[in-house]
Amino acid sequence: MSDHDDLDVRLITEDEIPDWLRAVAVGFLRSETITEEEIAARTSGVLTDRTVGAFDDGRCVATLRSFPQELTAVGGAVVAANAVTNVTVAATHRRRGLLSRMMARDLAAAKERGDVVATLIAAEYPIYGRYGFGPATTAAEWTVDVPRAGLDPRWSGPADGGRIDLAGGAEVRKLGPELHERVRRAQHGTVNRDARWWQINTGVLRVLPGWKDPFYAVYRSSAGEVEGMAAYTVDDKWSDAKQPGNTATVQWLVAAEPRAERALWRYLCSIDWVVRVRTGRRSPDDPLPLFLPDPRAARITTQADWMWVRILDVVRALEARGYQGAGELVLEVRDPGGFTGGRYLLEAGADGRGVCTATSREADLTLDVSGLGALWLGDESAVRLAAAGRVQETRAGAARLADALLRPSRRPWCPDSF
């Protein structure tokens, strides 16, 4: 028996939620003292049949929970995902296998439920590859120097017949869900936002202290249809010479039409006293800089991996997504977790759809399941992974073919944290 087998890793009970939440707060280096309001707000999102804790003599020393999620694949199909979050291990209990035990339990349950993939946002890069996750999207944040952007300071609203109005939280909760559904069905890498998300992001549920009510801007087309929406806050910075130096920080911005996206960024860059706009998490190929007369006024201030994907069912994952051309590819997938390893034939047709079956044919590419997770949404390149030694090419040109099939014209985007 291992020296650590006496540590109890199991699902928590309702009564244990407050102690589990305190362990999460400690793991994320927040105060162990959390308010009753925060406990109540967070409890509503805890599913005890998907929330795991590790206990040492009755004290919670490690945490992990998951929840159901929908993820948009390339081509617009939605797959069932197991979203993993609140992963912590107390500093006093590191290197005891607690994360491995919790993750194995959660992924096995997801596989049993029939989830196609698992997802998470990785705080640190080296942790999750060993559990089969691969970095599948990248997030970039721009800072726009408004005076340098070259925009007309006399701008007073969209010239396309549309309009921008400020809204309150109640109106956002009413209009936002339908708009986001339109956006996520067209953008691979996005995830669904349930009613709780809208409550948290309009301040109804205060899951963390220090909430500041944002402003909400809504774009309506000339026909009155809601096509875009943004939430943002503004700080209060003035120079000694009484010159404004405020920064508008975008919490989120979604747009179903390019005209709405352009109009919302133009609005944000036209607010009196605002000299900088921080964009929040965008795709690295976001067109924002091209909306500006001087694109150099927008500089990337943050760029890093964002959402990670773990494939739980290769056949369903590859058949759910669309393809950029026709071709055949045999993949040898190594899965140390034992969930979905094997050899698979992918046949992509001219109609953009694919068929995936188990095969005994010789492999064209061999890769770990984490590498397949990185490739699945089209953000990573098989040629690049091959150069890094993470993909082994058995048939010459197979990595180039994989890129030709798997990589769409736009990169995936996941604007949400979870």
Side-chain angles (χ1 to χ4, degrees):
M1 177 182 289
S2 164
D3 292 340
H4 311 314
D5 283 347
D6 57 333
L7 297 178
D8 190 14
V9 176
R10 58 174 174 79
L11 295 174
I12 68 171
T13 66
E14 293 280 351
D15 292 343
E16 291 170 328
I17 290 177
D19 289 338
W20 185 90
L21 289 172
R22 291 187 186 95
V24 171
V26 170
F28 282 99
L29 304 181
R30 301 195 297 266
S31 172
E32 187 175 19
T33 302
I34 57 178
T35 66
E36 291 301 317
E37 181 185 23
E38 182 181 340
I39 290 174
R42 286 185 169 272
T43 295
S44 64
V46 174
L47 306 173
T48 53
D49 61 342
R50 297 177 64 154
T51 302
V52 183
F55 295 85
D56 185 357
D57 197 24
R59 183 169 69 91
C60 188
V61 295
T63 65
L64 180 150
R65 74 177 177 91
S66 64
F67 61 92
Q69 185 183 71
E70 293 180 350
L71 172 61
T72 302
V74 176
V78 171
V79 301
N82 176 66
V84 179
T85 187
N86 292 154
V87 180
T88 74
V89 177
T92 54
H93 287 69
R94 300 175 66 211
R95 303 294 183 265
R96 302 192 186 188
L98 295 181
L99 176 54
S100 295
R101 291 170 65 186
M102 292 189 300
M103 188 67 75
R105 180 179 187 133
D106 185 72
L107 292 178
K111 177 71 174 181
E112 174 105 5
R113 279 192 305 269
D115 291 335
V116 177
V117 299
T119 62
L120 55 78
I121 308 295
E124 295 185 78
Y125 195 100
I127 297 174
Y128 295 101
R130 64 181 186 265
Y131 304 116
F133 289 86
T137 75
T138 302
E141 181 177 28
W142 278 265
T143 298
V144 178
D145 183 342
V146 174
R148 181 182 171 181
L151 296 166
D152 184 352
R154 298 169 297 175
W155 188 83
S156 60
D160 57 12
R163 58 179 293 164
I164 292 176
D165 299 299
L166 291 177
E171 188 174 8
V172 169
R173 289 189 296 275
K174 178 181 177 182
L175 301 175
E178 182 178 352
L179 172 65
H180 180 69
E181 280 299 298
R182 289 181 60 194
V183 172
R184 80 173 181 106
R185 297 286 176 168
Q187 174 62 61
H188 58 292
T190 56
V191 297
N192 64 307
R193 293 176 174 177
D194 59 14
R196 188 171 186 274
W197 187 95
W198 293 100
Q199 291 175 335
I200 291 172
N201 286 275
T202 56
V204 174
L205 288 177
R206 305 291 177 92
V207 298
L208 285 175
W211 166 264
K212 179 180 179 180
D213 287 321
F215 299 98
Y216 303 101
V218 177
Y219 172 90
R220 289 179 172 85
S221 70
S222 58
E225 183 177 4
V226 174
E227 293 183 342
M229 192 176 295
Y232 63 96
T233 58
V234 181
D235 62 10
D236 187 20
K237 300 288 179 63
W238 292 75
S239 73
D240 292 339
K242 203 179 178 184
Q243 293 294 315
N246 296 330
T247 299
T249 300
V250 178
Q251 308 300 317
W252 49 267
L253 184 152
V254 294
E257 299 292 341
R259 62 188 175 211
E261 191 172 1
R262 289 194 299 268
L264 285 169
W265 287 123
R266 183 66 184 87
Y267 163 77
L268 288 162
C269 290
S270 71
I271 301 172
D272 287 342
W273 302 350
V274 168
V275 299
R276 281 175 301 276
V277 174
R278 292 186 64 93
T279 66
R281 289 182 295 272
R282 311 298 300 175
S283 173
D285 62 351
D286 194 280
L288 166 65
L290 303 181
F291 295 159
L292 308 175
D294 184 352
R296 293 181 183 178
R299 61 186 178 91
I300 289 181
T301 46
T302 301
Q303 182 167 316
D305 58 280
W306 189 239
M307 184 177 67
W308 291 48
V309 167
R310 205 276 189 217
I311 305 294
L312 294 170
D313 189 320
V314 170
V315 170
R316 292 170 63 204
L318 291 180
E319 291 190 339
R321 56 156 294 161
Y323 295 90
Q324 311 313 300
E328 292 186 359
L329 198 62
V330 178
L331 302 174
E332 179 82 40
V333 180
R334 299 182 297 245
D335 186 354
F339 294 113
T340 195
R343 191 174 297 172
Y344 301 91
L345 168 63
L346 170 63
E347 299 173 280
D351 62 354
R353 306 313 305 171
V355 176
C356 182
T357 54
T359 185
S360 58
R361 283 173 46 173
E362 183 179 353
D364 300 321
L365 289 177
T366 300
L367 70 169
D368 288 340
V369 69
S370 60
L372 184 59
L375 293 171
W376 181 65
L377 284 172
D379 199 46
E380 187 54 89
S381 159
V383 170
R384 202 168 85 114
L385 292 184
R390 293 187 54 197
V391 168
Q392 290 74 50
E393 190 179 56
T394 306
R395 176 165 62 92
R400 290 195 302 273
L401 174 59
D403 282 352
L405 296 177
L406 295 171
R407 305 197 80 187
S409 58
R410 293 292 302 273
R411 296 179 71 171
W413 177 47
C414 179
D416 293 341
S417 177
F418 53 88

